[in-house]
């Protein structure tokens, strides 16, 4: 799905700001049917949960309503008009005045509605967006709703980060000409010094198509005609990790001789390949340094914020991180574009986190139910998961920063049914994008000899917490366990291995001369132990510490004011481990330490 942009033929109005807001109990039967009667206003983009002091809003399970009035620019007569919602977590319904114009499930990918028939240029309309936050056995991510003894509905889920909800990304009103570009797919390649640009353009109706490639200075470097083809860029400048270079594919849709629509899609020329136990970018071995992150800041929750975006990337640069994983859901498109422009490498993950009933059983002692079954996660869950994969690839396929798709985090991959569940999803991913490697992040209970799906994937991505959840405080034992575990995977599969999570909760300011969990020294010693082992495993291609920063979790006895495995605090101050990581990572430039 194309990102809305202002072009010579398209105009764009950003609808961020303060919207009238109410949870369903306060919103009346048809919240879209008139002016929302509420004293509350909510900021967009932001999760609504932490904006208000009312606990009922913070813990609300169900629908909330956002409303504002919107004036259609008077120059838009004769154009098509669309409303685009960058994300409604986890379900969205859009009403223009009294009319439902769009419905969407999946909290981290965009959707839009053509509202041309319902609005008039120069006039105002009432825009109401309902957002539902319920997670069930049929949603991605999954969850369960229970009812308390006093009749309140409670949402539980199988991941630790807080179930922030609302309009956490921008909302747009934009115009497109009647005959327009619907979609553009770009597949770059390299032949010697020449960049190849396979492209395919979908238009809203039969039309001529003209394309040209412009370089970063806007100079034309290749031209072509037709909706599909391959363009060649002589003397190409590659997109490289740490040295981004972006071209633009300018697409013109022709109505006879007249240019009806113009749309420019940025892209980079680079290749990605897994060969033997190496991960190659532009034919050169690449070693990932960086983090699993979260979109998480105080007050805003998962609300996108450009200031944090800039600051987080500054901190990643400072520490020598060349990459991150969008754990555990697709991030805002602003983040992806920033990574493209700044040469940061991304492992792009769906929101399929928590497809694992065995972990819960293991932690609570309750005998686990099977994860993959018609009563738990069956065909309907898999269809929601397939849709999440389709929407992720549709949105992010042209980003040069994205080098791998991660289809799930910590599914129960050692259980009956895991292979049947995942095989079609991996096939789907490869069909939608044959150019990028595919992975999943494997939970610690999945070992080289019981995991049933690892051979379907290209890179073995492991989440391991030896020295934290296992062998807590005993780094010598942890080191032995970790090395045995990694060697097992290396020998059985002969594929590249990377650590997608390793980390230790750390209270800034807590110190000890011993190996005492929660201290700043322990986090450093824990990471150093991991690094010693990684450096002994030849097939190792990268390390992503869990987590970049402390983040909010659901309330409970396992966390003190959130997950504290951040190398930075939630307000982005470095813990001691940040300096140690910086010493290891800076200067590596994607090479193995
Ligand atoms: C994991 C999960 C991650 C958690 C982390 C932890 O394995 O993938 O979402 O936050 O462990 O800190 O427990």
């Amino acid at each position: 799905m194309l990102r809305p942009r202002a072009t010579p033929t398209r105009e764009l109005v950003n609808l961020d700001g303060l919207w009238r807001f109410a949870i369903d109990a306060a919103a009346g039967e048809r919240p879209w049917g008139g002016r929302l009667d509420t004293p509350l206003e909510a900021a967009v983009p932001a999760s609504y949960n932490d904006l208000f002091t009312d606990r009922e809003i913070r813990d609300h399970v169900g629908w909330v309503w956002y409303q504002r009035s919107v004036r259609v620019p008077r120059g838009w007569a004769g154009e098509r008009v669309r409303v685009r919602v960058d994300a409604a977590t986890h379900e969205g319904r859009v009403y223009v005045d009294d009319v439902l114009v769009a419905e969407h499930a999946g909290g981290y990918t965009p959707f839009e509605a053509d509202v041309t028939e319902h609005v008039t240029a120069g006039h105002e309309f009432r825009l109401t967006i309902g957002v539902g936050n319920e997670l069930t056995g049929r949603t991605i991510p999954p969850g369960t709703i229970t009812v308390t003894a006093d009749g309140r509905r409670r949402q539980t889920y199988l991941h630790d980060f807080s179930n922030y909800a609302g309009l956490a990304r921008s909302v747009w009103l934009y115009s497109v000409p009647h005959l327009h570009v619907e979609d553009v797919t770009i597949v770059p390649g390299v032949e010697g010094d020449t960049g190849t640009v396979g492209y395919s353009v979908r238009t809203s109706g039969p039309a001529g198509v003209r394309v040209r490639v412009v370089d970063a200075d806007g100079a034309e470097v290749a031209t072509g005609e037709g909706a599909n083809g391959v363009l060649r860029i002589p003397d190409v400048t590659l997109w490289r990790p740490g040295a981004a270079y972006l071209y633009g594919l300018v697409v013109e849709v022709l109505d006879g001789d007249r240019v009806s629509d113009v749309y420019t899609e940025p892209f980079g020329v680079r290749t990605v390949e897994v060969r033997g136990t190496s991960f190659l970018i532009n034919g050169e071995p690449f070693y990932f340094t960086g983090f699993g992150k979260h979109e998480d800041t105080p007050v805003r929750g998962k609300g996108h914020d450009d200031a944090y975006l800039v600051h987080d990337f500054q901190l990643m640069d400072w520490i020598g991180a060349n990459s991150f994983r969008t754990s555990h859901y697709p991030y805002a498109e602003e983040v992806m574009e920033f990574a493209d422009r700044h040469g940061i490498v991304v492992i792009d993950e769906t929101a399929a986190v928590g497809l694992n009933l065995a972990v819960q059983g293991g932690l609570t002692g309750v005998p686990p139910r099977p994860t993959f079954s018609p009563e738990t996660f069956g065909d309907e869950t898999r269809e929601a998961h397939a849709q999440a994969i389709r929407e992720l690839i549709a949105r992010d396929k042209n980003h040069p920063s994205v080098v791998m798709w991660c289809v799930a985090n910590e599914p129960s991959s050692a259980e009956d049914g895991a292979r049947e569940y995942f095989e079609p999803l991996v096939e789907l991913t490869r069909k939608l994008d044959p150019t990028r490697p595919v992975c999943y992040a494997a939970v610690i209970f999945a070992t080289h000899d019981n995991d049933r799906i690892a051979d379907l994937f290209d890179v073995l991505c492991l989440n391991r917490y030896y020295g934290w959840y296992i062998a807590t405080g005993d780094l010598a034992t942890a080191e032995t366990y970790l090395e045995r575990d990694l060697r097992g995977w290396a020998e059985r599969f002969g594929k590249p291995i990377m650590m997608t999570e390793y980390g230790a909760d750390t209270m800034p300011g807590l110190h000890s001369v011993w190996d005492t969990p929660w201290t700043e020294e322990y986090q450093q010693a824990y990471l150093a132990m991991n690094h010693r082992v990684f450096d002994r495993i030849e097939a190792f291609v990268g390390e992503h510490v869990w987590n970049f920063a402390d983040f909010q979790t659901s309330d409970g006895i396992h966390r003190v004011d959130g997950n504290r495995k951040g190398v930075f605090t939630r307000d982005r101050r470095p813990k001691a481990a940040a300096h140690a990581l910086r010493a290891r990572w800076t200067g590596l430039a994607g090479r193995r330490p």
Side-chain angles (χ1 to χ4, degrees), residues 159-161 294 325 328 353 409-410 443 463 465 469 501 505 546 551 559 563 565:
H159 51 266
D160 73 338
F161 60 94
H294 263 302
R325 175 170 61 119
H328 296 305
V353 51
N409 183 67
E410 300 195 343
V443 68
N463 296 354
Y465 289 92
Y469 292 121
E501 284 183 25
D505 283 272
W546 190 257
F551 59 89
R559 301 283 186 248
N563 187 311
K565 295 191 185 68

Side-chain angles (χ1 to χ4, degrees), residues 376-398:
T376 52
F377 304 134
D379 290 347
E380 277 183 87
T381 319
R382 192 174 53 197
E383 182 40 41
H385 196 160
Q387 185 59 16
I389 292 172
R390 282 182 208 110
E391 292 188 19
L392 175 68
I393 295 179
R395 194 194 75 162
D396 287 352
K397 61 191 171 185
N398 294 333

